[in-house]
Amino acid sequence: MFRLLLAPMEGLADDVLREVLTGVGAYDQAVTEFVRVSGSLLPNRAFLRISPELRNGGRTTAGTPVAVQLLGSDPDCMAGNAARLARLAPPEIDLNFGCPAP
């Protein structure tokens, strides 16, 4: 079985593009651009800015689940932010530990 995923692309795959593409395509899942985690616990608004779909059960209007991606290198900070994000109930949390980004 094949799955079609809408990958995260910095500066391109924002919530507007996810909404448009999942509305016309048969995507099984989308992933947000990364939320940069560095040294502190982020407020909920940081996660909601990257993934407003969290207000809709973590899904686009078309019903496609949206994973929220965290980027960081400090394990404790990543864990704390992942726990905070988990309370917003995304369908999935994607951990990015160093994808090459501009």
Side-chain angles (χ1 to χ4, degrees), residues 19 22 28 51-66 89-91:
E19 187 68 24
T22 61
D28 296 303
S51 183
E53 297 93 348
L54 291 167
R55 292 184 176 99
N56 186 41
R59 295 178 177 275
T60 65
T61 303
T64 304
V66 178

Side-chain angles (χ1 to χ4, degrees), residues 3-98:
R3 292 182 53 192
L4 184 59
L5 305 176
L6 179 56
M9 295 169 278
E10 184 182 14
L12 180 62
D14 62 6
D15 59 301
V16 175
L17 183 68
R18 289 191 301 272
E19 187 68 24
V20 170
L21 292 179
T22 61
V24 297
Y27 289 96
D28 296 303
Q29 182 180 13
V31 181
T32 67
E33 297 174 277
F34 61 77
V35 177
R36 186 177 301 277
V37 172
S38 59
S40 64
L41 285 178
L42 297 171
N44 286 347
R45 71 177 181 271
F47 303 118
L48 292 166
R49 181 179 56 80
I50 294 293
S51 183
E53 297 93 348
L54 291 167
R55 292 184 176 99
N56 186 41
R59 295 178 177 275
T60 65
T61 303
T64 304
V66 178
V68 179
Q69 183 182 105
L70 301 179
L71 170 71
S73 59
D74 180 306
D76 292 330
C77 191
M78 289 287 281
N81 278 284
R84 179 167 278 181
L85 173 57
R87 288 193 289 265
L88 296 174
E92 187 174 312
I93 297 173
D94 180 78
L95 301 179
N96 180 326
F97 289 99

